[in-house]
Coordinates of all heavy atoms in Angstrom, one line a residue:
M1 N 6.1 -110.8 26.6 CA 6.6 -111.6 27.7 C 6.2 -113.1 27.4 O 5.2 -113.4 26.8 CB 5.9 -111.3 29.0 CG 6.4 -109.9 29.5 SD 8.1 -109.9 30.0 CE 8.4 -108.3 30.0
S2 N 7.1 -114.1 27.8 CA 6.6 -115.5 27.7 C 5.6 -115.9 28.7 O 5.5 -115.2 29.7 CB 7.8 -116.4 27.9 OG 8.3 -116.3 29.3
L5 N 6.7 -116.2 32.4 CA 7.1 -115.0 33.0 C 5.7 -114.2 33.4 O 5.5 -113.6 34.4 CB 7.9 -114.1 32.2 CG 8.3 -112.8 32.6 CD1 8.9 -112.9 33.9 CD2 9.1 -112.1 31.6
T68 N 12.8 -120.3 33.3 CA 12.3 -119.6 32.2 C 11.8 -118.1 32.6 O 11.5 -117.2 31.8 CB 11.1 -120.4 31.5 OG1 10.1 -120.6 32.5 CG2 11.6 -121.8 31.0
S70 N 13.3 -116.4 35.3 CA 14.3 -116.1 36.4 C 14.6 -114.6 36.3 O 15.4 -114.1 37.2 CB 15.5 -116.9 36.2 OG 16.2 -116.7 34.9
D71 N 14.3 -113.9 35.3 CA 14.6 -112.4 35.1 C 13.5 -111.6 35.7 O 13.3 -110.5 35.1 CB 14.9 -112.1 33.6 CG 16.2 -112.6 33.2 OD1 17.1 -112.9 34.0 OD2 16.3 -112.9 32.0
M72 N 12.9 -112.1 36.7 CA 11.8 -111.2 37.4 C 12.2 -111.1 38.9 O 12.3 -112.1 39.6 CB 10.5 -111.8 37.2 CG 9.4 -110.7 37.7 SD 7.7 -111.3 37.6 CE 7.7 -112.5 38.9
Q100 N 11.1 -105.7 38.5 CA 11.7 -105.7 37.1 C 11.5 -107.0 36.6 O 11.6 -108.0 37.2 CB 13.3 -105.5 37.3 CG 13.9 -105.5 35.9 CD 15.5 -105.2 36.1 OE1 16.3 -106.1 36.2 NE2 15.9 -104.0 36.0
M101 N 11.1 -107.0 35.2 CA 10.7 -108.1 34.5 C 11.5 -108.1 33.2 O 11.4 -107.1 32.5 CB 9.2 -108.2 34.2 CG 8.4 -108.5 35.5 SD 6.7 -108.6 35.2 CE 6.3 -106.9 34.8
R102 N 12.1 -109.2 32.9 CA 12.9 -109.2 31.6 C 12.5 -110.5 30.8 O 12.3 -111.5 31.5 CB 14.4 -109.2 31.9 CG 15.0 -107.9 32.3 CD 16.4 -108.0 32.5 NE 17.2 -106.7 32.9 CZ 17.5 -105.8 32.2 NH1 17.6 -106.0 30.8 NH2 18.0 -104.7 32.6
D103 N 12.7 -110.5 29.5 CA 12.5 -111.7 28.7 C 13.2 -111.6 27.4 O 13.4 -110.3 27.0 CB 11.0 -111.9 28.4 CG 10.6 -113.3 28.0 OD1 11.5 -114.2 28.1 OD2 9.5 -113.5 27.4
T104 N 13.6 -112.6 26.8 CA 14.3 -112.5 25.6 C 13.5 -113.2 24.4 O 13.0 -114.3 24.6 CB 15.6 -113.3 25.6 OG1 16.4 -112.7 26.6 CG2 16.3 -113.2 24.3
L105 N 13.1 -112.5 23.5 CA 12.3 -112.8 22.3 C 13.0 -113.9 21.5 O 14.2 -114.0 21.6 CB 11.9 -111.7 21.4 CG 11.0 -110.6 22.1 CD1 10.8 -109.5 21.2 CD2 9.7 -111.2 22.7
P106 N 12.3 -114.7 20.7 CA 13.0 -115.7 19.8 C 14.1 -115.0 18.9 O 15.0 -115.8 18.6 CB 11.8 -116.3 19.1 CG 10.7 -116.1 19.9 CD 10.8 -114.8 20.5
E107 N 13.8 -113.8 18.5 CA 14.8 -113.3 17.7 C 16.1 -112.8 18.4 O 17.0 -112.2 17.9 CB 14.2 -112.1 17.0 CG 13.0 -112.3 16.1 CD 11.8 -112.5 16.9 OE1 11.7 -112.1 18.1 OE2 10.7 -112.8 16.4
G108 N 16.1 -112.9 19.8 CA 17.3 -112.5 20.6 C 17.1 -111.2 21.2 O 18.0 -110.8 22.0
E109 N 16.1 -110.4 20.9 CA 15.9 -109.1 21.4 C 15.4 -109.2 23.0 O 14.5 -110.0 23.2 CB 14.8 -108.3 20.7 CG 14.7 -107.0 21.2 CD 13.5 -106.1 20.4 OE1 13.0 -106.7 19.5 OE2 13.3 -104.9 20.8
E110 N 16.0 -108.5 23.8 CA 15.6 -108.4 25.2 C 14.5 -107.3 25.4 O 14.7 -106.2 25.1 CB 16.8 -108.2 26.1 CG 16.5 -108.4 27.7 CD 17.7 -108.2 28.5 OE1 18.2 -107.1 28.5 OE2 18.1 -109.2 29.0
V111 N 13.4 -107.7 26.1 CA 12.4 -106.8 26.4 C 12.0 -106.9 27.8 O 12.3 -107.9 28.5 CB 11.2 -107.1 25.5 CG1 11.5 -106.8 24.0 CG2 10.6 -108.5 25.7
G112 N 11.3 -105.9 28.4 CA 10.8 -105.9 29.7 C 10.6 -104.5 30.3 O 10.4 -103.7 29.4
I113 N 10.4 -104.4 31.5 CA 10.0 -103.2 32.1 C 10.5 -103.1 33.6 O 10.7 -104.2 34.2 CB 8.5 -103.1 32.1 CG1 8.1 -101.7 32.6 CG2 7.7 -104.1 33.1 CD1 6.5 -101.3 32.4
T114 N 10.9 -102.0 34.0 CA 11.2 -101.8 35.4 C 10.3 -100.7 36.0 O 10.0 -99.6 35.4 CB 12.6 -101.1 35.5 OG1 13.5 -102.0 35.0 CG2 13.0 -100.8 36.9
R147 N 9.8 -97.6 33.1 CA 10.1 -97.5 31.7 C 10.5 -98.8 31.2 O 10.7 -99.8 31.9 CB 11.4 -96.6 31.7 CG 12.6 -97.2 32.3 CD 13.8 -96.2 32.0 NE 14.1 -96.2 30.5 CZ 14.8 -97.0 29.9 NH1 15.4 -98.0 30.5 NH2 15.1 -97.0 28.6
T148 N 10.3 -98.9 29.9 CA 10.6 -100.1 29.1 C 12.2 -100.4 29.2 O 12.9 -99.3 29.2 CB 10.1 -100.2 27.8 OG1 10.6 -99.1 27.1 CG2 8.6 -100.1 27.7
L149 N 12.5 -101.6 29.1 CA 13.9 -102.0 29.0 C 14.3 -102.1 27.4 O 14.3 -103.1 26.9 CB 14.2 -103.3 29.6 CG 13.8 -103.5 31.1 CD1 14.1 -104.9 31.7 CD2 14.6 -102.3 31.8
D150 N 14.5 -100.9 26.9 CA 14.8 -100.8 25.5 C 15.8 -99.7 25.3 O 15.7 -98.6 25.8 CB 13.5 -100.4 24.7 CG 13.6 -100.6 23.2 OD1 14.6 -100.2 22.7 OD2 12.6 -101.0 22.6
D151 N 16.8 -100.0 24.5 CA 17.9 -99.0 24.2 C 17.5 -97.9 23.3 O 18.2 -96.9 23.4 CB 19.1 -99.8 23.7 CG 19.7 -100.6 24.7 OD1 19.6 -100.4 26.0 OD2 20.4 -101.7 24.3
S152 N 16.5 -98.2 22.4 CA 16.2 -97.1 21.5 C 14.9 -96.3 21.7 O 14.8 -95.2 21.4 CB 16.1 -97.8 20.1 OG 15.1 -98.8 20.1
D153 N 13.9 -97.1 22.4 CA 12.7 -96.4 22.6 C 12.5 -96.1 24.2 O 12.9 -96.9 25.0 CB 11.5 -97.3 22.2 CG 11.4 -97.6 20.8 OD1 11.7 -96.7 20.0 OD2 11.1 -98.8 20.5

Side-chain angles (χ1 to χ4, degrees):
M1 294 290 162
S2 65
L5 181 55
T68 60
S70 59
D71 288 333
M72 187 183 73
Q100 186 176 86
M101 295 180 288
R102 289 179 180 268
D103 194 18
T104 302
L105 300 178
E107 300 80 9
E109 180 183 359
E110 190 177 66
V111 296
I113 190 171
T114 296
R147 63 175 297 273
T148 58
L149 304 178
D150 192 320
D151 292 334
S152 59
D153 296 324

